[in-house]
């Protein structure tokens, strides 16, 4: 990597915020926090791959809807502490202004054309194109738009992206997917890092790495990631997540809950950004708690301290 990018540091770091604060002000006075309720939910949940339930009469678990509830709870708490708060979304509509049809050419570049020309193969090709267009609009394009909003419009001092993790479904001896809950349940926090050689060879990704290296966001991400990782670990009493592959790295000298990964949102957002991934939604421990949390809200019952979404919000 060579050269020094044109870096526009539009956010304030901890030292600048602390020095501008008067002693009598609230603990988070002067801090502008943007909360990103990850994904979308609603009609987009299945397209995102963030929608499942174990039994017909269960409530559907949609990550985008659950983390929006967490974001609203966190917003109320942080406002009381004096922070300026911006929610990236407050409903289940995508922020990306482009429609799936705008991604037709990109989808055609990604979906192999049928080898034989038959009604069945053409129908399958059309369905695959539609699925790819929908996903590009609701996932890739959505992440790019959220990063643009943060960098150009909202311009906070930090972005906290809220998620709930999930595990792959088990595989039986015949290689078939088993739709059953898993044993593992854990939590972790992600910050930007761990680019592969292939990713570094991409000029756009290399440029984004240079920006993050030069604007000083990395050190603040370490500090925030350490604090949020410890807080989530203490609140949930869950072990730290583990990555078996080479797409993530644990940071020496920091909490085992903190990992670095090269995810789109972490790479595109210029200010310090932290991504939270507590719980395994399809685990034997978390799934009943999520069902109870959804039922409580459906019935309009009072929220309790052991409510899994309240626990998550309190930790943040």
């Amino acid at each position: 990597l060579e050269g020094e990018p044109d870096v526009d540091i539009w956010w304030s770091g901890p030292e600048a915020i602390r020095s501008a604060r008067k002693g009598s002000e609230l603990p988070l006075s002067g801090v502008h926090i943007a909360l990103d309720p990850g994904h979308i939910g609603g009609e987009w949940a299945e397209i995102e791959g963030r929608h499942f339930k174990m039994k017909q009469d269960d409530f559907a678990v949609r990550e985008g809807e659950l983390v929006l509830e967490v974001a609203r709870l966190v917003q109320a708490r942080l406002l009381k502490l004096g922070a300026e708060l911006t929610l990236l979304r407050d409903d289940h509509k995508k922020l990306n202004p482009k429609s799936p049809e705008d991604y037709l050419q990109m989808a055609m570049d990604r979906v192999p054309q049928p080898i034989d020309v038959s009604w069945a193969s053409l129908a399958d090709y059309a369905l695959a194109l539609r699925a790819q267009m929908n996903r590009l609009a609701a996932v890739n394009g959505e992440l790019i738009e959220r990063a643009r909003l943060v960098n150009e419009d909202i311009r906070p001092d930090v972005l906290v992206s809220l998620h709930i993790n999930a595990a792959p479904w088990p595989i039986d001896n015949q290689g078939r997917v088993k739709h059953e809950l898993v044993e593992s349940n854990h939590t972790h926090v992600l910050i930007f890092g761990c680019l592969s050689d292939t990713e570094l060879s991409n000029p756009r990704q290399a440029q984004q790495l240079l920006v993050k290296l030069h604007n000083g966001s990395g050190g603040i991400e370490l500090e925030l990631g350490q604090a949020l990782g410890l807080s989530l670990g203490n609140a949930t009493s869950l072990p730290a997540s583990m990555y078996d592959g080479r797409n993530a790295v644990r940071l020496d000298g920091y909490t085992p809950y903190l990992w670095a990964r090269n995810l789109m949102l972490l790479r595109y957002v210029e200010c310090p950004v932290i991504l939270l991934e507590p719980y395994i939604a399809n685990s034997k421990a978390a799934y009943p708690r999520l069902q109870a949390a959804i039922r409580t809200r459906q019935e309009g019952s009072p929220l309790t301290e052991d409510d899994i979404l309240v626990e998550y919000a309190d930790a943040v």
Side-chain angles (χ1 to χ4, degrees):
L1 295 175
E2 297 180 357
E4 187 166 332
D6 183 16
V7 176
D8 177 17
I9 302 176
W10 38 260
W11 41 272
S12 297
E15 292 184 7
I17 294 169
R18 292 188 188 108
S19 64
R21 184 184 298 149
K22 298 176 181 177
S24 60
E25 292 182 321
L26 293 168
L28 292 181
S29 176
V31 184
H32 183 188
I33 302 171
L35 291 177
D36 169 41
H39 307 286
I40 307 170
E43 64 178 314
W44 298 97
E46 292 192 65
I47 293 169
E48 298 174 297
R50 295 296 189 275
H51 168 110
F52 79 97
K53 59 181 176 180
M54 299 307 298
K55 294 186 295 186
Q56 187 63 36
D57 58 350
D58 282 355
F59 296 104
V61 174
R62 301 186 181 104
E63 183 179 355
E65 297 176 12
L66 295 171
V67 294
L68 178 55
E69 170 66 12
V70 175
R72 289 167 175 161
L73 293 170
V74 171
Q75 179 184 37
R77 287 156 173 73
L78 296 185
L79 285 172
K80 289 181 179 178
L81 293 172
E84 178 186 351
L85 243 297
T86 301
L87 287 185
L88 264 64
R89 66 176 178 91
D90 197 22
D91 55 30
H92 306 305
K93 299 175 183 176
K94 68 182 180 70
L95 298 174
N96 180 13
K98 294 183 179 180
S99 68
E101 289 73 22
D102 293 322
Y103 294 90
L104 175 59
Q105 185 58 56
M106 192 179 296
M108 292 176 67
D109 294 338
R110 297 188 177 198
V111 178
Q113 294 184 6
I115 298 174
D116 64 307
V117 180
S118 65
W119 287 116
S121 63
L122 289 175
D124 289 342
Y125 178 60
L127 290 172
L129 277 179
R130 185 176 68 175
Q132 185 66 246
M133 289 159 58
N134 284 334
R135 183 160 182 83
L136 286 168
V139 180
N140 300 58
E142 181 72 8
L143 289 171
I144 291 171
E145 175 61 14
R146 292 190 190 196
R148 188 201 67 77
L149 284 171
V150 171
N151 293 337
E152 298 179 12
D153 297 346
I154 301 172
R155 296 202 153 195
D157 300 314
V158 62
L159 173 69
V160 179
S161 187
L162 306 169
H163 296 257
I164 295 175
N165 207 355
W169 296 110
I171 305 294
D172 66 17
N173 295 332
Q174 284 73 45
R176 296 171 300 192
V177 174
K178 296 190 293 183
H179 191 68
E180 60 183 38
L181 297 175
V182 301
E183 295 288 346
S184 63
N185 193 26
H186 40 80
T187 186
H188 69 288
V189 171
L190 292 167
I191 62 174
F192 173 64
C194 195
L195 281 75
S196 68
D197 290 342
T198 300
E199 290 164 344
L200 283 171
S201 67
N202 182 306
R204 176 71 182 271
Q205 295 207 36
Q207 180 67 19
Q208 289 165 320
L209 172 60
L210 279 174
V211 170
K212 296 289 283 187
L213 287 173
H214 281 274
N215 71 10
S217 60
I220 299 170
E221 290 174 354
L222 281 171
E223 187 177 345
L224 287 168
Q226 170 81 356
L228 284 162
L230 289 171
S231 185
L232 282 171
N234 290 334
T236 62
S237 300
L238 292 175
S241 304
M242 294 294 295
Y243 280 87
D244 297 328
R246 301 181 63 185
N247 65 334
V249 62
R250 182 175 279 170
L251 301 160
D252 290 341
Y254 291 86
T255 172
Y257 293 102
L258 179 60
W259 291 79
R261 277 193 74 184
N262 181 25
L263 299 179
M264 281 185 69
L265 190 72
L266 300 179
R267 180 172 72 246
Y268 276 66
V269 170
E270 294 177 12
C271 71
V273 51
I274 316 292
L275 193 149
L276 311 183
E277 288 276 16
Y279 313 108
I280 297 297
N282 58 333
S283 69
K284 293 179 179 178
Y287 184 77
R289 296 187 67 193
L290 291 170
Q291 288 293 308
I294 299 170
R295 182 178 301 106
T296 295
R297 287 156 179 81
Q298 291 281 340
E299 296 173 349
S301 302
L303 303 183
T304 59
E305 289 186 3
D306 62 348
D307 180 285
I308 190 170
L309 303 183
V310 171
E311 180 180 88
Y312 187 171
D314 283 344
V316 178

